[in-house]
Amino acid sequence: MQKNIILVLGPQGSGKSTQAKLLAEHLSYTFVSTGNLIRKKTAEQDAEAQTIREYMLKGDLVPDALVEGLLFPFLEVTPTAGFILDGYPRSMTQLDTFLQFLSQQAWKLDRVFFLSVSQQECIHRMKLRAEIEKREDETDEAITERLHLYHVETEPLLTRYEQLQVLIRVDGERSVEDIQAEIRTYYQSV
Ligand code: AMP
C-alpha cells in the first residue's frame, strides 16, 4: 500500500508538533513523533529503557538503530494513507537511511514544512513549556544541548530537502491558526 510522507521540521519550541498534529487531522493521516515513541519506551523497566532515558535527560540524540527500530515497524504496520512525522530524521545519516527505507517501500516523500523561528523565541517557548508540562528534558542544560544538536545535526538537512524539491519554508512566529492555514493551502484539494 502506497503511503504518503510529510515531514514537519524546525527547532525545538518552533511549534512543529502542534502543526504536525493539526495537519494530520486535516488530511486524516497518522501523526508520529519519534520523541513520543522513545518516551513510551523509557517507561519500561529494562536496562535498555534506562540507557535511553539517560540520553534523553541530557538532551542527546538516542542511537539511530534504536529510533529506527521503533519507528520503521510502526510505519510498516499502521494502516493509513499517510504519515506526518515529527522529530525524524534528525541527522544526515538518519535521512539517508530513511530515503532508502522509503524507496524500498515505494512510498513518497511528499513535502517538508520548515517552521522558521528565532533561537531566542524557541528558548522562551521551551521554558514556558517546561513549567507547564514538567518535561524532564527541559532543564536549562538539556534545552541548550538540544538546540545545539538541532543546529549542528538537523539544520543541514534543509539543503538536502531543497535539492529534493520538497522544502516549504513557513514563518513560525505567527499564531497557530495562521501557520496551519498557510500549510493547508498546499492541500486544498484534499
Ligand atoms: P522531541 O520530543 O522530538 O524533542 O525528542 C525528545 C528527545 O527524544 C530528543 O532530545 C532525543 O533524545 C530523542 N529523539 C527524538 N527523536 C529522535 C531522533 N530522530 N533521533 C535521535 N533521538 C531522538
Side-chain angles (χ1 to χ4, degrees):
M1 183 184 165
Q2 163 76 33
K3 295 178 188 174
N4 216 18
I5 308 289
I6 298 169
L7 310 180
V8 182
L9 172 71
Q12 286 80 5
S14 62
K16 64 187 156 58
S17 301
T18 305
Q19 295 300 332
K21 280 180 205 156
L22 289 169
L23 184 61
E25 240 169 63
H26 178 64
L27 298 173
S28 300
Y29 281 9
T30 305
F31 166 78
V32 196
S33 144
T34 43
N36 287 351
L37 288 177
I38 297 166
R39 269 187 287 278
K40 219 182 273 169
K41 175 76 192 162
T42 60
E44 292 171 15
Q45 295 304 321
D46 54 17
E48 193 185 29
Q50 183 54 33
T51 312
I52 303 169
R53 230 175 138 248
E54 282 161 18
Y55 282 106
M56 280 187 106
L57 283 178
K58 280 191 262 171
D60 285 340
L61 294 180
V62 310
D64 294 348
L66 215 142
V67 182
E68 284 143 7
L70 292 171
L71 178 66
F72 292 178
F74 178 85
L75 299 180
E76 279 171 321
V77 303
T78 306
T80 185
F83 292 100
I84 316 280
L85 255 69
D86 164 20
Y88 183 89
R90 251 180 159 93
S91 66
M92 213 51 103
T93 319
Q94 288 187 1
L95 177 58
D96 285 332
T97 308
F98 189 51
L99 290 176
Q100 212 176 338
F101 172 79
L102 291 186
S103 100
Q104 278 160 5
Q105 304 288 337
W107 295 351
K108 185 178 161 218
L109 178 58
D110 184 43
R111 288 192 177 98
V112 178
F113 292 97
F114 169 66
L115 296 180
S116 115
V117 175
S118 73
Q119 167 123 341
Q120 200 187 3
E121 176 66 18
C122 287
I123 293 174
H124 174 68
R125 290 185 192 178
M126 270 199 279
K127 288 191 173 161
L128 278 182
R129 183 165 73 183
E131 280 167 28
I132 297 163
E133 290 180 14
K134 304 254 175 296
R135 255 177 70 164
E136 287 181 313
D137 59 348
E138 294 198 329
T139 58
D140 284 357
E141 296 74 30
I143 287 176
T144 307
E145 177 60 11
R146 285 164 66 213
L147 279 172
H148 168 75
L149 277 175
Y150 169 78
H151 288 301
V152 175
E153 298 282 350
T154 313
E155 216 166 43
L157 301 183
L158 291 176
T159 314
R160 290 283 301 279
Y161 294 133
E162 225 151 34
Q163 289 160 354
L164 293 167
Q165 299 186 324
V166 288
L167 183 67
I168 293 159
R169 292 173 191 267
V170 177
D171 173 3
E173 295 201 22
R174 293 175 299 160
S175 71
V176 169
E177 294 75 21
D178 285 358
I179 298 168
Q180 184 61 205
E182 182 177 337
I183 292 176
R184 287 187 184 183
T185 59
Y186 292 91
Y187 295 97
Q188 266 165 350
S189 57
V190 179

